[in-house]
């Protein structure tokens, strides 16, 4: 079998031009790979953010400690194909466990975030949950390292009418600093969203 | 000239730049609102700021139109949250924060006069449209930088591929293009610095008689640099050394020096008048009414504790986090310096600079063996790098320690004046450290990597602002 394979290998001789084309194609693919990943594989976009922290990349305001306090942030999906969240945690680095539950308290998805904290933005991504536009979801966090607690900042002002933040069973008039992320169905849908946004940003009255 | 240089020279290079101009939302290029205000002020008053306006910097801050545009574009909200974009679908959030715009008025005015001309040409356009127009006009400076970097490599004794790699490293450096695509005097500073260094290098290495026009060309770019930003001044050390060398070897005549100095008259007049009017070369605006409230910057300044701090803590700040910040911001930190490239990219850059450093060291040792003490290429690399760094250390000691800053806010773009020497350092490292049969692969790799890095940076900017 090996011999046959080797024989076949030897018999494939690429002309010089073909080799060049192959090499240039590989280089071209490598150079364009960030955009290929963005347009063909990731295709993530958001629709809104519920809380913008108040200072120059530093959170100033209210914090809840994950693990020692129960935190439940509910929201309405604004689009189909919800596919994850970007969340800003602070405090020390630790493991966090998160759960996404639907309106009937059924767990839709769950997972862990490593090294959450220190003001960094954690990106949670999962397989898109389809046809959820207008559905209610809740995000719950559990700290696996309670000694080095991770904090989450939240606003003291309502930015989202359809959202609800509950800390230790109390309704808070605000939201945590997070963004639900959606995934476009295909390249064309994604390109349309992106170019529409670029166009809208450039054309300002 | 290789195919790739031809490729860059063609319209594709311009397309990348124009694409960046429109990709960065208004006011999201670092310090853009403040730079725009300087331009607007000159257009509005048809003069430079006076002694009165410097003393009452509130006037420099007052711009209803810019403030309105900042609020409309939700600049503050987007800029202050690295996770935030997509302004149009976030209608609930508003910001009525007043921006501080006066702090760039300490810079000399040349870029702002240029901007004012474009602003005036813009006529009835909206302020946002004028931003795009001024950004677009920066293309002239970017092309001049490109021209001078081509002129620099032309006379180097390196392969065509090495020349292409060097030109690509300078002109396709994503952070340089990103900063140049915004309303910012650093674009003109970089152009003036690279042009000055290249002409000085040409004079330095020229064995024939140097034409008067070359000295005048040098004087022109020194004028441009000096009248753009103070950061240009340290580079004059290299220019001074070139003249000293030429004087000692009797290759420059007094007449030529006189003509060169005569060419510097605009700079001389500007700074002499500054000194007589303001008592300083770089007058700084001060806020008379709310100085204590507006200037205090709790993010950077640790108030009331500096008196008891050991001197070592300041030395530490000079190194950490300062050097890390410079590197990060030089290599890639897009947006309002909130969109960092991964650390691995910074480490790759450090690795290449390390290779460059070792290559230069090897060359120096070889020169010592040959009893050749002065190497013009090494001087071209090291002198501007060291003089600029000494300048920033001086600035830190003079300005930041007395003001009790424990955080030294340095931006990587302040080091773009030495972009060419830094990239030449990398090429030197490959030349002297690697066997020549590897050069082809090393330079091809560099060219591919720099284009890849540019595309990667564009995808980061897309995600930062639109997705």
């Amino acid at each position: 079998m090996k011999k046959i394979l080797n024989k076949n290998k030897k018999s494939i001789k690429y002309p010089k031009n073909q080799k060049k084309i192959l090499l240039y194609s590989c280089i071209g693919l490598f150079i364009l790979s960030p955009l290929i990943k963005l347009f063909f594989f990731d295709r993530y976009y958001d629709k809104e953010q519920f809380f913008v922290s108040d200072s120059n990349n530093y959170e100033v305001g209210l914090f809840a400690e994950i693990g020692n306090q129960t935190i439940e942030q509910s929201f309405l999906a604004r689009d189909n194909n919800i596919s994850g969240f970007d969340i800003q945690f602070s405090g020390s680095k630790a493991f966090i466990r998160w759960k996404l539950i639907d309106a009937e308290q059924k767990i839709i998805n769950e997972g862990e975030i490593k090294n959450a904290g220190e003001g960094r933005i954690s990106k949670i991504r999962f397989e898109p949950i389809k046809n959820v536009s207008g559905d209610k979801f809740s995000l719950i966090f559990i700290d696996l390292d309670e000694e080095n607690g991770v904090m989450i900042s939240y606003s003291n002002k309502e930015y989202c009418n359809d959202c609800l933040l509950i800390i230790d069973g109390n309704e808070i008039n605000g939201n945590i600093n997070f963004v639900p992320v959606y995934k476009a169905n295909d390249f064309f849908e994604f390109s349309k969203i992106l170019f529409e946004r670029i166009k809208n940003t450039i054309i300002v009255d | 000239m290789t195919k790739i240089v031809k490729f860059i020279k063609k319209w594709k290079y311009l397309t990348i730049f124009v694409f960046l101009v429109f990709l960065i939302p208004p006011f999201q290029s670092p310090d853009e609102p403040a730079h725009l205000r300087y331009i607007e002020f000159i257009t509005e008053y048809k003069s430079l700021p006076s002694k009165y306006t410097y003393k009452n910097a509130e006037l420099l801050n007052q711009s209803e139109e810019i403030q309105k545009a900042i609020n409309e574009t939700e600049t503050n909200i987007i800029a202050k949250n690295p996770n935030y974009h997509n302004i149009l679908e976030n209608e609930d959030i508003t910001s009525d924060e007043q921006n501080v715009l006066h702090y760039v008025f300490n810079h000399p005015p040349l870029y702002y006069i240029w901007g004012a001309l474009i602003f005036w040409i813009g006529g009835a356009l909206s302020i946002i449209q004028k931003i795009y127009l001024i950004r677009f006009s920066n293309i002239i400076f970017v092309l001049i930088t490109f021209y001078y970097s081509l002129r620099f490599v032309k006379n180097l004794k390196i392969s065509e591929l090495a020349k292409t790699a060097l030109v690509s490293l300078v002109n396709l450096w994503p952070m340089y293009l990103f900063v140049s695509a915004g309303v910012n005097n650093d674009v003109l500073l970089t152009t003036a610095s690279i042009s000055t260094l290249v002409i000085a290098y040409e004079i330095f290495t020229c064995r024939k008689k140097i034409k008067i026009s070359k000295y005048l060309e040098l004087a022109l770019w020194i004028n441009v640099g000096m009248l753009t930003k103070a950061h240009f001044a340290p580079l004059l050390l290299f220019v001074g050394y070139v003249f000293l060398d030429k004087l000692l070897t009797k290759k420059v005549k007094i007449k030529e020096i006189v003509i060169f100095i005569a060419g510097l008259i605009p700079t001389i007049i500007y700074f002499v008048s500054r000194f007589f009017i303001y008592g300083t070369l770089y007058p700084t605006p001060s806020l008379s009414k709310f100085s204590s409230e507006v200037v205090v910057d709790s993010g950077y300044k640790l108030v009331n504790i500096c008196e008891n701090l050991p001197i070592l803590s300041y030395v530490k700040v000079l190194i950490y986090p300062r050097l890390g910040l410079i590197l990060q911001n030089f290599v890639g930190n897009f947006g309002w310096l909130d969109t960092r490239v991964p650390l691995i990219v910074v480490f790759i850059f450090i690795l290449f600079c390390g290779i460059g450093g070792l290559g230069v060291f090897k060359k120096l040792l070889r020169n010592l063996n040959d009893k050749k003490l002065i190497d013009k290429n090494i001087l071209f690399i090291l002198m501007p790098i060291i003089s600029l760094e000494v300048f920033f250390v001086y600035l830190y000691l003079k300005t930041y320690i007395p003001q009790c800053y424990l955080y030294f806010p340095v931006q990587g773009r302040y080091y773009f004046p030495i972009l060419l020497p830094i990239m030449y350092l990398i090429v030197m490292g490959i030349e002297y450290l690697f066997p020549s049969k590897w050069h082809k692969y090393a330079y091809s790799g560099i060219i591919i990597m720099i284009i890849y890095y540019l595309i990667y940076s564009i995808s980061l900017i897309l995600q930062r602002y639109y997705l």
Side-chain angles (χ1 to χ4, degrees):
Chain A
M1 185 66 178
K2 237 180 182 178
K3 272 183 184 176
I4 296 166
L5 279 174
N6 281 340
K7 225 179 177 181
N8 281 343
K9 260 186 194 174
K10 278 177 191 170
S11 66
I12 302 170
K13 277 186 183 171
Y14 294 104
K16 226 179 175 180
N17 267 354
Q18 261 183 335
K19 263 188 189 173
K20 253 188 180 176
I21 291 169
L22 197 70
L23 179 69
Y24 285 162
S25 308
C26 290
I27 292 171
L29 275 176
F30 170 71
I31 285 172
L32 291 173
S33 60
L35 291 180
I36 292 171
K37 184 173 177 282
L38 191 70
F39 278 84
F40 290 93
F41 294 95
D42 288 353
R43 306 196 302 269
Y44 297 124
Y45 65 96
D46 62 20
K47 296 286 279 186
E48 70 220 309
Q49 180 164 341
F50 302 126
F51 166 50
V52 176
S53 44
D54 198 24
S55 177
N56 199 359
N57 300 347
Y58 295 86
E59 299 129 30
V60 176
L62 305 160
F63 294 91
E65 194 174 355
I66 299 169
N68 291 327
Q69 288 174 287
T70 58
I71 303 162
E72 186 178 335
Q73 171 73 60
S74 68
F75 62 97
L76 285 188
R78 305 273 176 182
D79 212 338
N80 289 314
N81 301 344
I82 189 158
S83 197
F85 309 93
D86 289 352
I87 306 174
Q88 194 169 18
F89 296 105
S90 52
S92 58
K93 288 184 196 172
F95 287 94
I96 290 175
R97 196 159 179 80
W98 59 269
K99 282 179 189 172
L100 180 68
I101 56 174
D102 65 10
E104 289 150 13
Q105 300 294 305
K106 195 177 126 199
I107 297 175
I108 304 292
N109 219 320
E110 57 187 324
E112 273 178 18
I113 308 168
K114 288 174 188 171
N115 291 329
E118 290 194 339
R120 69 178 65 197
I121 290 159
S122 298
K123 290 177 184 289
I124 300 172
R125 296 289 183 268
F126 44 79
E127 277 299 303
I129 306 165
K130 295 191 173 175
N131 303 324
V132 290
S133 186
D135 291 1
K136 193 183 171 193
F137 292 97
S138 292
L139 199 54
I140 298 168
F141 303 98
I142 304 149
D143 196 343
L144 298 183
D145 184 2
E146 285 173 24
E147 278 180 24
N148 301 309
V150 174
M151 318 278 275
I152 195 158
S153 60
Y154 61 93
S155 58
N156 56 0
K157 195 176 163 188
E158 191 65 72
Y159 289 117
C160 168
N161 297 330
D162 309 318
C163 308
L164 188 62
L165 175 64
I166 300 171
I167 297 177
D168 286 342
N170 300 318
E171 276 186 28
I172 305 291
N173 187 23
N175 301 108
I176 62 169
N177 194 358
F178 89 119
V179 192
V181 173
Y182 306 90
K183 186 167 183 167
N185 282 316
D186 51 41
F187 166 82
F188 297 105
E189 190 186 327
F190 180 78
S191 304
K192 199 180 152 197
I193 293 167
L194 179 60
F195 290 115
E196 194 68 26
R197 288 178 179 188
I198 294 175
K199 196 181 87 188
N200 288 342
T201 305
I202 294 171
I203 302 167
V204 183
D205 295 331
Chain B
M1 208 63 70
T2 63
K3 282 178 186 172
I4 295 174
V5 170
K6 280 180 187 166
F7 165 80
I8 297 165
K9 273 177 85 176
K10 279 185 189 172
W11 57 273
K12 280 159 189 141
Y13 180 59
L14 301 183
T15 311
I16 292 170
F17 184 77
V18 174
F19 188 57
L20 273 173
V21 162
F22 290 106
L23 203 61
I24 306 161
F27 302 117
Q28 294 298 329
S29 182
D31 298 324
E32 201 167 36
H35 289 290
L36 186 74
R37 173 60 190 144
Y38 202 150
I39 289 167
E40 191 202 41
F41 181 90
I42 295 173
T43 322
E44 201 177 320
Y45 293 95
K46 302 207 169 31
S47 73
L48 299 179
S50 64
K51 210 171 177 179
Y52 177 77
T53 41
Y54 272 114
K55 274 191 178 171
N56 301 280
E58 294 83 3
L59 290 171
L60 305 176
N61 269 333
Q62 284 164 8
S63 170
E64 275 179 30
E65 226 181 323
I66 292 178
Q67 196 60 54
K68 199 176 147 215
I70 286 173
N71 291 341
E72 274 173 10
T73 50
E74 299 190 5
T75 301
N76 293 330
I77 296 164
I78 298 171
K80 288 177 179 176
N81 194 325
N83 202 22
Y84 190 82
H85 25 74
N86 186 23
I87 52 173
L88 292 167
E89 294 183 43
N90 289 275
E91 287 160 4
D92 296 343
I93 304 170
T94 51
S95 163
D96 50 5
E97 187 184 335
Q98 288 295 307
N99 280 64
V100 178
L101 303 169
H102 71 279
Y103 59 92
V104 297
F105 278 83
N106 59 336
H107 294 310
L110 191 62
Y111 177 75
Y112 307 107
I113 293 172
W114 164 268
L117 185 71
I118 305 293
F119 198 94
W120 175 75
I121 290 169
L125 294 177
S126 73
I127 201 102
I128 304 290
Q129 287 162 330
K130 282 177 183 169
I131 289 176
Y132 285 118
L133 202 62
I134 298 167
R135 283 177 175 188
F136 189 74
S137 75
N138 288 351
I139 207 163
I140 291 169
F141 307 128
V142 171
L143 283 177
I144 293 172
T145 306
F146 186 59
Y147 164 74
Y148 275 99
S149 55
L150 274 181
R151 227 170 91 169
F152 176 71
V153 298
K154 213 172 122 188
N155 298 319
L156 293 181
K157 287 172 188 162
I158 52 176
S159 67
E160 284 298 312
L161 200 59
K163 289 176 183 177
T164 310
L166 182 51
V167 170
S168 309
L169 277 171
V170 174
N171 294 283
L172 296 179
W173 193 247
M175 200 57 200
Y176 157 68
L177 284 178
F178 173 76
V179 169
S180 301
V183 179
N184 198 313
N185 62 349
D186 280 296
V187 57
L188 186 54
L189 173 72
T190 308
T191 304
S193 305
I194 289 178
S195 311
T196 302
L197 288 174
V198 170
I199 301 163
Y201 178 82
E202 283 173 354
I203 294 172
F204 199 20
T205 51
C206 184
R207 288 178 185 169
K208 295 175 196 164
K209 190 178 171 352
I210 298 152
K211 287 181 186 169
I212 295 279
S213 60
K214 186 84 94 184
Y215 290 113
L216 287 174
E217 190 187 3
L218 181 64
L220 168 78
W221 285 111
I222 290 176
N223 281 321
V224 173
M226 289 301 290
L227 296 176
T228 301
K229 207 170 183 180
H231 300 183
F232 178 83
L235 304 183
L236 293 180
L237 189 71
F238 179 68
V239 178
Y241 183 83
V242 170
F243 271 92
L244 192 69
D245 177 75
K246 291 284 161 189
L247 266 174
L248 292 176
T249 52
K250 292 178 182 168
K251 281 178 184 165
V252 63
K253 291 174 190 162
I254 299 295
K255 183 188 147 198
E256 287 161 345
I257 293 180
V258 170
I259 290 171
F260 169 70
I261 292 173
L264 296 176
I265 282 173
T267 300
I268 295 166
I269 291 173
Y270 174 79
F271 283 105
V272 168
S273 67
R274 293 283 106 170
F275 188 76
F276 278 109
I277 297 168
Y278 300 100
T280 173
L281 298 182
Y282 296 96
T284 307
S286 56
L287 295 161
S288 58
K289 282 181 192 163
F290 358 69
S291 55
S292 61
E293 290 159 46
V294 179
V295 176
V296 165
D297 179 352
S298 59
Y300 299 138
K301 196 173 179 180
L302 299 180
V303 184
N304 297 331
I305 60 163
C306 64
E307 286 166 18
N308 303 322
L309 282 170
I311 193 80
L312 269 178
S313 58
Y314 292 107
V315 179
K316 184 184 152 266
V317 170
L318 202 56
I319 298 160
Y320 178 83
R322 179 179 164 269
L323 288 182
L325 282 167
I326 292 169
L327 274 164
Q328 179 77 68
N329 295 347
F330 184 89
V331 175
N333 196 355
F334 304 97
W336 249 99
L337 303 181
D338 53 28
T339 310
R340 295 180 183 135
V341 293
L343 274 181
I344 183 76
V345 185
V346 182
F347 286 130
I348 291 171
F349 178 72
I350 294 172
L351 180 76
F352 273 94
C353 287
I355 289 170
L358 282 176
V360 165
F361 186 64
K362 193 180 167 188
K363 180 87 193 332
L364 275 174
L365 287 180
R366 202 191 288 172
N367 287 351
L368 279 177
N369 276 341
D370 300 342
K371 291 182 181 167
K372 189 184 157 197
L373 290 174
I374 294 168
D375 187 304
K376 291 176 177 173
N377 288 311
I378 292 177
L379 279 176
F380 173 79
I381 292 170
L382 295 185
M383 210 178 248
I385 294 176
I386 293 170
S387 56
L388 192 66
E389 179 57 10
V390 168
F391 170 78
F392 282 122
V393 171
Y394 163 75
L395 203 69
Y396 172 70
L397 295 172
K398 182 178 170 280
T399 317
Y400 288 89
I401 285 191
Q403 288 184 13
C404 199
Y405 273 70
L406 266 188
Y407 178 96
F408 189 32
V410 180
Q411 296 191 26
R413 65 191 157 101
Y414 298 164
Y415 287 78
F416 285 150
I418 52 169
L419 187 62
L420 181 62
I422 289 174
M423 297 311 179
Y424 188 35
L425 174 83
I426 291 173
V427 171
M428 283 275 269
I430 292 165
E431 286 291 312
Y432 292 111
L433 226 54
F434 290 11
S436 53
K437 61 179 177 184
W438 290 8
H439 288 181
K440 194 169 83 176
Y441 303 107
Y443 292 126
S444 304
I446 284 179
I447 295 164
I448 292 167
M449 288 303 289
I450 193 71
I451 302 174
Y452 168 82
Y453 183 38
L454 183 60
I455 299 288
Y456 174 77
S457 305
I458 288 172
S459 87
L460 270 188
I461 296 168
L462 281 174
Q463 290 172 69
R464 168 65 179 91
Y465 287 117
Y466 302 101
L467 295 170

